[in-house]
PDB file of all heavy atoms in Angstrom:
ATOM      1  N   GLU A  75     -13.437   1.720  -5.682  1.00 92.00           N
ATOM      2  CA  GLU A  75     -13.116   0.422  -6.274  1.00 92.00           C
ATOM      3  C   GLU A  75     -11.635   0.090  -6.138  1.00 92.00           C
ATOM      4  O   GLU A  75     -11.261  -1.080  -6.083  1.00 92.00           O
ATOM      5  CB  GLU A  75     -13.521   0.405  -7.759  1.00 92.00           C
ATOM      6  CG  GLU A  75     -14.953  -0.042  -7.997  1.00 92.00           C
ATOM      7  CD  GLU A  75     -15.970   0.928  -7.433  1.00 92.00           C
ATOM      8  OE1 GLU A  75     -15.703   2.149  -7.454  1.00 92.00           O
ATOM      9  OE2 GLU A  75     -17.034   0.475  -6.959  1.00 92.00           O
ATOM     10  N   GLU A  76     -10.779   1.110  -6.083  1.00 91.00           N
ATOM     11  CA  GLU A  76      -9.345   0.858  -5.881  1.00 91.00           C
ATOM     12  C   GLU A  76      -9.101   0.236  -4.509  1.00 91.00           C
ATOM     13  O   GLU A  76      -8.221  -0.614  -4.352  1.00 91.00           O
ATOM     14  CB  GLU A  76      -8.560   2.157  -6.020  1.00 91.00           C
ATOM     15  CG  GLU A  76      -8.455   2.690  -7.423  1.00 91.00           C
ATOM     16  CD  GLU A  76      -7.532   3.892  -7.496  1.00 91.00           C
ATOM     17  OE1 GLU A  76      -6.468   3.866  -6.868  1.00 91.00           O
ATOM     18  OE2 GLU A  76      -7.891   4.868  -8.178  1.00 91.00           O
ATOM     19  N   ILE A  77      -9.878   0.657  -3.524  1.00 93.00           N
ATOM     20  CA  ILE A  77      -9.726   0.102  -2.174  1.00 93.00           C
ATOM     21  C   ILE A  77     -10.177  -1.358  -2.161  1.00 93.00           C
ATOM     22  O   ILE A  77      -9.511  -2.220  -1.582  1.00 93.00           O
ATOM     23  CB  ILE A  77     -10.542   0.944  -1.166  1.00 93.00           C
ATOM     24  CG1 ILE A  77     -10.024   2.386  -1.145  1.00 93.00           C
ATOM     25  CG2 ILE A  77     -10.485   0.336   0.228  1.00 93.00           C
ATOM     26  CD1 ILE A  77     -10.861   3.322  -0.304  1.00 93.00           C
ATOM     27  N   PHE A  78     -11.314  -1.641  -2.833  1.00 93.00           N
ATOM     28  CA  PHE A  78     -11.804  -3.023  -2.880  1.00 93.00           C
ATOM     29  C   PHE A  78     -10.882  -3.919  -3.707  1.00 93.00           C
ATOM     30  O   PHE A  78     -10.722  -5.102  -3.396  1.00 93.00           O
ATOM     31  CB  PHE A  78     -13.216  -3.058  -3.467  1.00 93.00           C
ATOM     32  CG  PHE A  78     -14.255  -2.378  -2.609  1.00 93.00           C
ATOM     33  CD1 PHE A  78     -15.251  -1.603  -3.171  1.00 93.00           C
ATOM     34  CD2 PHE A  78     -14.225  -2.517  -1.232  1.00 93.00           C
ATOM     35  CE1 PHE A  78     -16.202  -0.977  -2.388  1.00 93.00           C
ATOM     36  CE2 PHE A  78     -15.161  -1.894  -0.433  1.00 93.00           C
ATOM     37  CZ  PHE A  78     -16.159  -1.126  -1.013  1.00 93.00           C
ATOM     38  N   LEU A  79     -10.258  -3.369  -4.759  1.00 91.00           N
ATOM     39  CA  LEU A  79      -9.398  -4.169  -5.634  1.00 91.00           C
ATOM     40  C   LEU A  79      -8.221  -4.752  -4.878  1.00 91.00           C
ATOM     41  O   LEU A  79      -7.843  -5.913  -5.085  1.00 91.00           O
ATOM     42  CB  LEU A  79      -8.913  -3.305  -6.797  1.00 91.00           C
ATOM     43  CG  LEU A  79      -7.961  -3.976  -7.795  1.00 91.00           C
ATOM     44  CD1 LEU A  79      -8.667  -5.133  -8.502  1.00 91.00           C
ATOM     45  CD2 LEU A  79      -7.443  -2.966  -8.805  1.00 91.00           C
ATOM     46  N   PHE A  80      -7.648  -3.984  -3.965  1.00 91.00           N
ATOM     47  CA  PHE A  80      -6.481  -4.435  -3.213  1.00 91.00           C
ATOM     48  C   PHE A  80      -6.845  -4.912  -1.811  1.00 91.00           C
ATOM     49  O   PHE A  80      -5.951  -5.156  -0.998  1.00 91.00           O
ATOM     50  CB  PHE A  80      -5.448  -3.306  -3.125  1.00 91.00           C
ATOM     51  CG  PHE A  80      -4.876  -2.915  -4.462  1.00 91.00           C
ATOM     52  CD1 PHE A  80      -5.340  -1.793  -5.121  1.00 91.00           C
ATOM     53  CD2 PHE A  80      -3.906  -3.681  -5.066  1.00 91.00           C
ATOM     54  CE1 PHE A  80      -4.830  -1.431  -6.362  1.00 91.00           C
ATOM     55  CE2 PHE A  80      -3.382  -3.339  -6.295  1.00 91.00           C
ATOM     56  CZ  PHE A  80      -3.838  -2.210  -6.950  1.00 91.00           C
ATOM     57  N   SER A  81      -8.149  -5.036  -1.520  1.00 91.00           N
ATOM     58  CA  SER A  81      -8.630  -5.552  -0.227  1.00 91.00           C
ATOM     59  C   SER A  81      -8.021  -4.795   0.951  1.00 91.00           C
ATOM     60  O   SER A  81      -7.568  -5.395   1.931  1.00 91.00           O
ATOM     61  CB  SER A  81      -8.328  -7.056  -0.103  1.00 91.00           C
ATOM     62  OG  SER A  81      -8.952  -7.767  -1.131  1.00 91.00           O
ATOM     63  N   ILE A  82      -8.013  -3.478   0.848  1.00 92.00           N
ATOM     64  CA  ILE A  82      -7.463  -2.647   1.928  1.00 92.00           C
ATOM     65  C   ILE A  82      -8.546  -2.454   2.983  1.00 92.00           C
ATOM     66  O   ILE A  82      -9.657  -2.020   2.653  1.00 92.00           O
ATOM     67  CB  ILE A  82      -6.991  -1.290   1.397  1.00 92.00           C
ATOM     68  CG1 ILE A  82      -5.965  -1.494   0.282  1.00 92.00           C
ATOM     69  CG2 ILE A  82      -6.402  -0.443   2.513  1.00 92.00           C
ATOM     70  CD1 ILE A  82      -5.575  -0.222  -0.429  1.00 92.00           C
ATOM     71  N   PRO A  83      -8.277  -2.784   4.238  1.00 93.00           N
ATOM     72  CA  PRO A  83      -9.301  -2.600   5.275  1.00 93.00           C
ATOM     73  C   PRO A  83      -9.595  -1.123   5.520  1.00 93.00           C
ATOM     74  O   PRO A  83      -8.685  -0.298   5.601  1.00 93.00           O
ATOM     75  CB  PRO A  83      -8.692  -3.268   6.514  1.00 93.00           C
ATOM     76  CG  PRO A  83      -7.224  -3.286   6.266  1.00 93.00           C
ATOM     77  CD  PRO A  83      -7.041  -3.381   4.780  1.00 93.00           C
ATOM     78  N   VAL A  84     -10.878  -0.800   5.619  1.00 94.00           N
ATOM     79  CA  VAL A  84     -11.318   0.574   5.874  1.00 94.00           C
ATOM     80  C   VAL A  84     -11.614   0.712   7.361  1.00 94.00           C
ATOM     81  O   VAL A  84     -12.474   0.011   7.895  1.00 94.00           O
ATOM     82  CB  VAL A  84     -12.568   0.909   5.037  1.00 94.00           C
ATOM     83  CG1 VAL A  84     -13.047   2.321   5.347  1.00 94.00           C
ATOM     84  CG2 VAL A  84     -12.266   0.767   3.554  1.00 94.00           C
ATOM     85  N   LYS A  85     -10.910   1.619   8.014  1.00 94.00           N
ATOM     86  CA  LYS A  85     -11.077   1.817   9.458  1.00 94.00           C
ATOM     87  C   LYS A  85     -11.754   3.143   9.802  1.00 94.00           C
ATOM     88  O   LYS A  85     -11.984   3.423  10.982  1.00 94.00           O
ATOM     89  CB  LYS A  85      -9.706   1.773  10.150  1.00 94.00           C
ATOM     90  CG  LYS A  85      -8.952   0.475   9.961  1.00 94.00           C
ATOM     91  CD  LYS A  85      -9.637  -0.678  10.650  1.00 94.00           C
ATOM     92  CE  LYS A  85      -8.841  -1.967  10.529  1.00 94.00           C
ATOM     93  NZ  LYS A  85      -9.551  -3.108  11.134  1.00 94.00           N
ATOM     94  N   GLU A  86     -12.039   3.963   8.786  1.00 93.00           N
ATOM     95  CA  GLU A  86     -12.675   5.255   9.036  1.00 93.00           C
ATOM     96  C   GLU A  86     -13.928   5.375   8.170  1.00 93.00           C
ATOM     97  O   GLU A  86     -13.863   5.184   6.950  1.00 93.00           O
ATOM     98  CB  GLU A  86     -11.721   6.398   8.709  1.00 93.00           C
ATOM     99  CG  GLU A  86     -10.486   6.435   9.577  1.00 93.00           C
ATOM    100  CD  GLU A  86      -9.562   7.572   9.203  1.00 93.00           C
ATOM    101  OE1 GLU A  86      -9.858   8.729   9.609  1.00 93.00           O
ATOM    102  OE2 GLU A  86      -8.565   7.328   8.517  1.00 93.00           O
ATOM    103  N   ALA A  87     -15.046   5.700   8.791  1.00 93.00           N
ATOM    104  CA  ALA A  87     -16.299   5.838   8.043  1.00 93.00           C
ATOM    105  C   ALA A  87     -16.265   7.035   7.108  1.00 93.00           C
ATOM    106  O   ALA A  87     -16.989   7.071   6.109  1.00 93.00           O
ATOM    107  CB  ALA A  87     -17.469   5.966   9.018  1.00 93.00           C
ATOM    108  N   GLU A  88     -15.399   8.022   7.402  1.00 93.00           N
ATOM    109  CA  GLU A  88     -15.328   9.203   6.538  1.00 93.00           C
ATOM    110  C   GLU A  88     -14.810   8.862   5.147  1.00 93.00           C
ATOM    111  O   GLU A  88     -15.068   9.595   4.186  1.00 93.00           O
ATOM    112  CB  GLU A  88     -14.425  10.267   7.183  1.00 93.00           C
ATOM    113  CG  GLU A  88     -15.010  10.933   8.406  1.00 93.00           C
ATOM    114  CD  GLU A  88     -14.806  10.115   9.673  1.00 93.00           C
ATOM    115  OE1 GLU A  88     -14.183   9.041   9.578  1.00 93.00           O
ATOM    116  OE2 GLU A  88     -15.259  10.545  10.742  1.00 93.00           O
ATOM    117  N   ILE A  89     -14.066   7.768   5.021  1.00 93.00           N
ATOM    118  CA  ILE A  89     -13.582   7.344   3.699  1.00 93.00           C
ATOM    119  C   ILE A  89     -14.772   6.972   2.814  1.00 93.00           C
ATOM    120  O   ILE A  89     -14.833   7.335   1.633  1.00 93.00           O
ATOM    121  CB  ILE A  89     -12.608   6.158   3.846  1.00 93.00           C
ATOM    122  CG1 ILE A  89     -11.352   6.607   4.599  1.00 93.00           C
ATOM    123  CG2 ILE A  89     -12.225   5.581   2.488  1.00 93.00           C
ATOM    124  CD1 ILE A  89     -10.387   5.487   4.924  1.00 93.00           C
ATOM    125  N   ILE A  90     -15.738   6.245   3.381  1.00 94.00           N
ATOM    126  CA  ILE A  90     -16.936   5.876   2.629  1.00 94.00           C
ATOM    127  C   ILE A  90     -17.747   7.123   2.299  1.00 94.00           C
ATOM    128  O   ILE A  90     -18.272   7.274   1.188  1.00 94.00           O
ATOM    129  CB  ILE A  90     -17.780   4.857   3.415  1.00 94.00           C
ATOM    130  CG1 ILE A  90     -16.918   3.637   3.817  1.00 94.00           C
ATOM    131  CG2 ILE A  90     -18.984   4.416   2.610  1.00 94.00           C
ATOM    132  CD1 ILE A  90     -16.350   2.867   2.650  1.00 94.00           C
ATOM    133  N   ASP A  91     -17.858   8.044   3.256  1.00 92.00           N
ATOM    134  CA  ASP A  91     -18.592   9.290   3.002  1.00 92.00           C
ATOM    135  C   ASP A  91     -17.930  10.102   1.893  1.00 92.00           C
ATOM    136  O   ASP A  91     -18.615  10.768   1.106  1.00 92.00           O
ATOM    137  CB  ASP A  91     -18.667  10.130   4.283  1.00 92.00           C
ATOM    138  CG  ASP A  91     -19.612   9.536   5.303  1.00 92.00           C
ATOM    139  OD1 ASP A  91     -20.549   8.834   4.886  1.00 92.00           O
ATOM    140  OD2 ASP A  91     -19.413   9.759   6.507  1.00 92.00           O
ATOM    141  N   TYR A  92     -16.614  10.067   1.834  1.00 92.00           N
ATOM    142  CA  TYR A  92     -15.890  10.850   0.829  1.00 92.00           C
ATOM    143  C   TYR A  92     -16.285  10.432  -0.587  1.00 92.00           C
ATOM    144  O   TYR A  92     -16.455  11.272  -1.463  1.00 92.00           O
ATOM    145  CB  TYR A  92     -14.386  10.664   1.049  1.00 92.00           C
ATOM    146  CG  TYR A  92     -13.509  11.475   0.131  1.00 92.00           C
ATOM    147  CD1 TYR A  92     -13.158  12.781   0.454  1.00 92.00           C
ATOM    148  CD2 TYR A  92     -13.042  10.939  -1.068  1.00 92.00           C
ATOM    149  CE1 TYR A  92     -12.352  13.531  -0.394  1.00 92.00           C
ATOM    150  CE2 TYR A  92     -12.241  11.682  -1.915  1.00 92.00           C
ATOM    151  CZ  TYR A  92     -11.895  12.973  -1.578  1.00 92.00           C
ATOM    152  OH  TYR A  92     -11.106  13.710  -2.420  1.00 92.00           O
ATOM    153  N   PHE A  93     -16.450   9.113  -0.799  1.00 92.00           N
ATOM    154  CA  PHE A  93     -16.759   8.613  -2.136  1.00 92.00           C
ATOM    155  C   PHE A  93     -18.262   8.502  -2.403  1.00 92.00           C
ATOM    156  O   PHE A  93     -18.709   8.699  -3.526  1.00 92.00           O
ATOM    157  CB  PHE A  93     -16.112   7.237  -2.355  1.00 92.00           C
ATOM    158  CG  PHE A  93     -14.613   7.278  -2.426  1.00 92.00           C
ATOM    159  CD1 PHE A  93     -13.837   6.678  -1.438  1.00 92.00           C
ATOM    160  CD2 PHE A  93     -13.966   7.907  -3.474  1.00 92.00           C
ATOM    161  CE1 PHE A  93     -12.462   6.717  -1.512  1.00 92.00           C
ATOM    162  CE2 PHE A  93     -12.592   7.948  -3.550  1.00 92.00           C
ATOM    163  CZ  PHE A  93     -11.822   7.355  -2.559  1.00 92.00           C
ATOM    164  N   LEU A  94     -19.055   8.167  -1.379  1.00 89.00           N
ATOM    165  CA  LEU A  94     -20.463   7.827  -1.621  1.00 89.00           C
ATOM    166  C   LEU A  94     -21.445   8.707  -0.856  1.00 89.00           C
ATOM    167  O   LEU A  94     -22.617   8.338  -0.727  1.00 89.00           O
ATOM    168  CB  LEU A  94     -20.718   6.362  -1.223  1.00 89.00           C
ATOM    169  CG  LEU A  94     -19.829   5.293  -1.852  1.00 89.00           C
ATOM    170  CD1 LEU A  94     -20.161   3.934  -1.264  1.00 89.00           C
ATOM    171  CD2 LEU A  94     -20.002   5.258  -3.362  1.00 89.00           C
ATOM    172  N   LYS A  95     -20.988   9.858  -0.354  1.00 83.00           N
ATOM    173  CA  LYS A  95     -21.847  10.619   0.554  1.00 83.00           C
ATOM    174  C   LYS A  95     -23.148  11.056  -0.115  1.00 83.00           C
ATOM    175  O   LYS A  95     -24.228  10.995   0.489  1.00 83.00           O
ATOM    176  CB  LYS A  95     -21.093  11.846   1.067  1.00 83.00           C
ATOM    177  CG  LYS A  95     -21.868  12.602   2.141  1.00 83.00           C
ATOM    178  CD  LYS A  95     -21.001  13.590   2.865  1.00 83.00           C
ATOM    179  CE  LYS A  95     -21.765  14.214   4.027  1.00 83.00           C
ATOM    180  NZ  LYS A  95     -20.950  15.182   4.772  1.00 83.00           N
ATOM    181  N   ASP A  96     -23.083  11.507  -1.359  1.00 84.00           N
ATOM    182  CA  ASP A  96     -24.286  12.015  -2.019  1.00 84.00           C
ATOM    183  C   ASP A  96     -25.272  10.905  -2.365  1.00 84.00           C
ATOM    184  O   ASP A  96     -26.472  11.139  -2.480  1.00 84.00           O
ATOM    185  CB  ASP A  96     -23.895  12.774  -3.294  1.00 84.00           C
ATOM    186  CG  ASP A  96     -23.032  13.988  -2.986  1.00 84.00           C
ATOM    187  OD1 ASP A  96     -23.158  14.502  -1.870  1.00 84.00           O
ATOM    188  OD2 ASP A  96     -22.229  14.391  -3.852  1.00 84.00           O
ATOM    189  N   LYS A  97     -24.761   9.681  -2.559  1.00 88.00           N
ATOM    190  CA  LYS A  97     -25.628   8.588  -3.004  1.00 88.00           C
ATOM    191  C   LYS A  97     -26.076   7.682  -1.857  1.00 88.00           C
ATOM    192  O   LYS A  97     -27.073   6.987  -1.971  1.00 88.00           O
ATOM    193  CB  LYS A  97     -24.892   7.726  -4.038  1.00 88.00           C
ATOM    194  CG  LYS A  97     -24.298   8.503  -5.188  1.00 88.00           C
ATOM    195  CD  LYS A  97     -23.455   7.592  -6.051  1.00 88.00           C
ATOM    196  CE  LYS A  97     -22.687   8.362  -7.113  1.00 88.00           C
ATOM    197  NZ  LYS A  97     -21.783   7.495  -7.872  1.00 88.00           N
ATOM    198  N   LEU A  98     -25.304   7.668  -0.771  1.00 91.00           N
ATOM    199  CA  LEU A  98     -25.532   6.676   0.288  1.00 91.00           C
ATOM    200  C   LEU A  98     -26.822   6.965   1.050  1.00 91.00           C
ATOM    201  O   LEU A  98     -27.068   8.090   1.473  1.00 91.00           O
ATOM    202  CB  LEU A  98     -24.335   6.670   1.249  1.00 91.00           C
ATOM    203  CG  LEU A  98     -24.012   5.355   1.945  1.00 91.00           C
ATOM    204  CD1 LEU A  98     -23.672   4.290   0.924  1.00 91.00           C
ATOM    205  CD2 LEU A  98     -22.861   5.539   2.913  1.00 91.00           C
ATOM    206  N   GLN A  99     -27.632   5.926   1.214  1.00 92.00           N
ATOM    207  CA  GLN A  99     -28.868   6.013   1.991  1.00 92.00           C
ATOM    208  C   GLN A  99     -28.818   4.974   3.097  1.00 92.00           C
ATOM    209  O   GLN A  99     -28.275   3.879   2.899  1.00 92.00           O
ATOM    210  CB  GLN A  99     -30.085   5.772   1.109  1.00 92.00           C
ATOM    211  CG  GLN A  99     -30.265   6.792   0.004  1.00 92.00           C
ATOM    212  CD  GLN A  99     -31.450   6.467  -0.876  1.00 92.00           C
ATOM    213  OE1 GLN A  99     -31.996   5.372  -0.812  1.00 92.00           O
ATOM    214  NE2 GLN A  99     -31.845   7.415  -1.708  1.00 92.00           N
ATOM    215  N   ASP A 100     -29.357   5.318   4.241  1.00 93.00           N
ATOM    216  CA  ASP A 100     -29.379   4.363   5.355  1.00 93.00           C
ATOM    217  C   ASP A 100     -30.828   4.110   5.765  1.00 93.00           C
ATOM    218  O   ASP A 100     -31.687   4.987   5.631  1.00 93.00           O
ATOM    219  CB  ASP A 100     -28.565   4.879   6.548  1.00 93.00           C
ATOM    220  CG  ASP A 100     -29.021   6.237   7.022  1.00 93.00           C
ATOM    221  OD1 ASP A 100     -30.050   6.315   7.711  1.00 93.00           O
ATOM    222  OD2 ASP A 100     -28.346   7.232   6.691  1.00 93.00           O
ATOM    223  N   GLU A 101     -31.064   2.914   6.246  1.00 94.00           N
ATOM    224  CA  GLU A 101     -32.415   2.524   6.678  1.00 94.00           C
ATOM    225  C   GLU A 101     -32.300   1.602   7.880  1.00 94.00           C
ATOM    226  O   GLU A 101     -31.497   0.655   7.876  1.00 94.00           O
ATOM    227  CB  GLU A 101     -33.156   1.819   5.545  1.00 94.00           C
ATOM    228  CG  GLU A 101     -34.587   1.497   5.905  1.00 94.00           C
ATOM    229  CD  GLU A 101     -35.414   1.086   4.698  1.00 94.00           C
ATOM    230  OE1 GLU A 101     -34.938   1.248   3.562  1.00 94.00           O
ATOM    231  OE2 GLU A 101     -36.530   0.603   4.906  1.00 94.00           O
ATOM    232  N   VAL A 102     -33.083   1.898   8.902  1.00 95.00           N
ATOM    233  CA  VAL A 102     -33.109   1.058  10.109  1.00 95.00           C
ATOM    234  C   VAL A 102     -33.966  -0.165   9.806  1.00 95.00           C
ATOM    235  O   VAL A 102     -35.167  -0.053   9.565  1.00 95.00           O
ATOM    236  CB  VAL A 102     -33.666   1.846  11.305  1.00 95.00           C
ATOM    237  CG1 VAL A 102     -33.710   0.960  12.542  1.00 95.00           C
ATOM    238  CG2 VAL A 102     -32.825   3.085  11.574  1.00 95.00           C
ATOM    239  N   MET A 103     -33.346  -1.329   9.830  1.00 95.00           N
ATOM    240  CA  MET A 103     -34.057  -2.562   9.507  1.00 95.00           C
ATOM    241  C   MET A 103     -34.829  -3.108  10.708  1.00 95.00           C
ATOM    242  O   MET A 103     -35.931  -3.605  10.576  1.00 95.00           O
ATOM    243  CB  MET A 103     -33.067  -3.622   9.000  1.00 95.00           C
ATOM    244  CG  MET A 103     -32.236  -3.168   7.815  1.00 95.00           C
ATOM    245  SD  MET A 103     -33.219  -2.771   6.376  1.00 95.00           S
ATOM    246  CE  MET A 103     -33.793  -4.380   5.904  1.00 95.00           C
ATOM    247  N   LYS A 104     -34.228  -2.988  11.899  1.00 95.00           N
ATOM    248  CA  LYS A 104     -34.905  -3.532  13.092  1.00 95.00           C
ATOM    249  C   LYS A 104     -34.264  -2.950  14.338  1.00 95.00           C
ATOM    250  O   LYS A 104     -33.047  -2.716  14.379  1.00 95.00           O
ATOM    251  CB  LYS A 104     -34.809  -5.063  13.124  1.00 95.00           C
ATOM    252  CG  LYS A 104     -35.570  -5.699  14.303  1.00 95.00           C
ATOM    253  CD  LYS A 104     -35.508  -7.199  14.256  1.00 95.00           C
ATOM    254  CE  LYS A 104     -36.179  -7.840  15.460  1.00 95.00           C
ATOM    255  NZ  LYS A 104     -37.618  -7.543  15.512  1.00 95.00           N
ATOM    256  N   ILE A 105     -35.094  -2.708  15.345  1.00 96.00           N
ATOM    257  CA  ILE A 105     -34.616  -2.335  16.687  1.00 96.00           C
ATOM    258  C   ILE A 105     -35.265  -3.294  17.671  1.00 96.00           C
ATOM    259  O   ILE A 105     -36.488  -3.404  17.724  1.00 96.00           O
ATOM    260  CB  ILE A 105     -34.977  -0.883  17.037  1.00 96.00           C
ATOM    261  CG1 ILE A 105     -34.282   0.087  16.075  1.00 96.00           C
ATOM    262  CG2 ILE A 105     -34.576  -0.560  18.471  1.00 96.00           C
ATOM    263  CD1 ILE A 105     -34.684   1.523  16.273  1.00 96.00           C
TER     264      ILE A 105
END
Side-chain angles (χ1 to χ4, degrees):
E75 271 66 34
E76 288 186 43
I77 299 173
F78 294 140
L79 178 63
F80 295 100
S81 300
I82 304 172
V84 178
K85 300 293 183 183
E86 296 179 79
E88 289 83 1
I89 295 174
I90 306 299
D91 288 333
Y92 183 87
F93 292 113
L94 306 176
K95 187 166 186 180
D96 298 334
K97 308 173 188 175
L98 210 61
Q99 298 177 347
D100 56 78
E101 185 167 349
V102 179
M103 304 299 291
K104 183 177 176 63
I105 297 175

